[in-house]
Amino acid sequence: MLTTREELDDRLPGAARAWLDEALAEAAHAADRPDTGTGTPDRPDTGNPPSGTGTGNPPWETRFASAGRHCGTEHADAVRALLLIEARPAAPDLARLYAQGTAAERRAVLLTLHRLDLGSAALTLVEDALRTNDTRLVAAAVGPYAAAHLDAHGWRHAILKCLFTEVPVEAVAALADRARGDAELARMLHDFAAERTAAGRPVPADLRTVLALTATPAAAPTEES
C-alpha cells in the first residue's frame, strides 16, 4: 500500500515537504490546463530510453522523474502516485511518461493506474510490463487495475508470468475471486507443472496455492425474488 500524503508529511524533512508542495501545485495546474500535454501514441515502445521530459512537457513531469532524489527512494512511489493523481494525465500522456521512464518510474505508473479513472485505456501499459522479466514491473502490473480490466486470457497468462518470474502470487489483486472455479486456469497450471517436472525444475509452491483456488466452486447466482 502506498504511503498517504499525511504520512509523507510526518516522514519527510522540511525541504522535501516544501518540494512536494510545489510539485503537487504544478501537477494541479497541469490538470486545470489539459491542453498542455504533448500527446503521443497510446502504445508505449518496449525500449527504456533515458528518463526525463522533452520540450513542451509540463513541469510536474520533471518532478515525477526526480522524486527519489528529493524525497528519498523509499518514498518515491508514493510521491509519484500523488503527482499522477493530482495531474490526471490523459492516457496518451501517461503512456509517454511510462515509455520515457526508468523502471522505478514505470512501476509508480503501474501502481497508480487504478486510481486514475482511465477505464481500459491503459491496458497497454500492463501488457507491456507483463512482457518483461522485471519482477518489480510484473508485481506492480497485477494490481487492482489488472484485476478490473484484463480479460480472462490475459489474466491467466499474468498468473503464469508471476509463477515463471517467481513473483509471489500475493501480489495479484482479487486472486481468489478471479481464480475461483476457473477450469481453464487449472488446466494451464497443470501443464506448467508438468513442463517444470519434465525439465527437472521445481514446481513453485505458489502454483499449488492458485490451483487450490481454482478448485473452489464459483458462487451460484442468487435468485431474485
Side-chain angles (χ1 to χ4, degrees):
M1 181 177 296
L2 294 170
T3 307
T4 66
R5 175 67 193 279
E6 291 74 19
E7 290 170 331
L8 284 173
D9 283 342
D10 289 339
R11 298 174 188 180
L12 293 175
R17 289 198 305 272
W19 181 91
L20 179 56
D21 287 341
E22 293 173 358
L24 291 174
E26 290 176 355
H29 179 70
D32 290 337
R33 299 180 61 192
D35 59 324
T36 57
T38 59
T40 188
D42 62 5
R43 184 172 186 88
D45 58 37
T46 55
N48 190 17
S51 174
T53 59
T55 302
N57 294 341
W60 75 268
E61 293 187 11
T62 300
R63 304 273 195 173
F64 182 88
S66 62
R69 184 165 69 252
H70 290 278
C71 297
T73 55
E74 70 274 25
H75 300 306
D77 281 342
V79 169
R80 289 175 175 137
L82 289 173
L83 288 171
L84 290 171
I85 293 165
E86 197 70 40
R88 303 194 303 275
D93 294 317
L94 188 67
R96 171 178 51 77
L97 193 68
Y98 175 93
Q100 291 175 342
T102 63
E105 292 161 34
R106 293 183 178 196
R107 169 185 157 85
V109 169
L110 294 165
L111 289 172
T112 316
L113 289 178
H114 67 291
R115 302 179 66 181
L116 297 181
D117 193 24
L118 293 166
S120 61
L123 265 178
T124 52
L125 307 187
V126 171
E127 291 164 353
D128 179 79
L130 290 173
R131 285 193 294 270
T132 76
N133 287 322
D134 187 325
T135 56
R136 296 168 299 175
L137 297 185
V138 173
V142 293
Y145 185 85
H149 295 289
L150 272 179
D151 63 19
H153 176 79
W155 188 81
R156 290 170 186 139
H157 281 277
I159 298 300
L160 291 181
K161 185 72 173 191
C162 287
L163 296 173
F164 179 77
T165 58
E166 299 183 356
V167 168
V169 295
E170 65 185 22
V172 181
L175 174 63
D177 289 339
R178 291 206 60 168
R180 183 179 295 116
D182 191 335
E184 176 61 15
L185 177 60
R187 182 195 65 77
M188 294 168 69
L189 292 172
H190 280 298
D191 288 348
F192 181 78
E195 290 172 3
R196 299 276 291 197
T197 301
R201 302 180 66 186
V203 175
D206 275 356
L207 185 146
R208 299 181 181 89
T209 299
V210 181
L211 191 59
L213 292 173
T214 68
T216 304
T222 58
E223 292 185 4
E224 295 183 2
S225 57

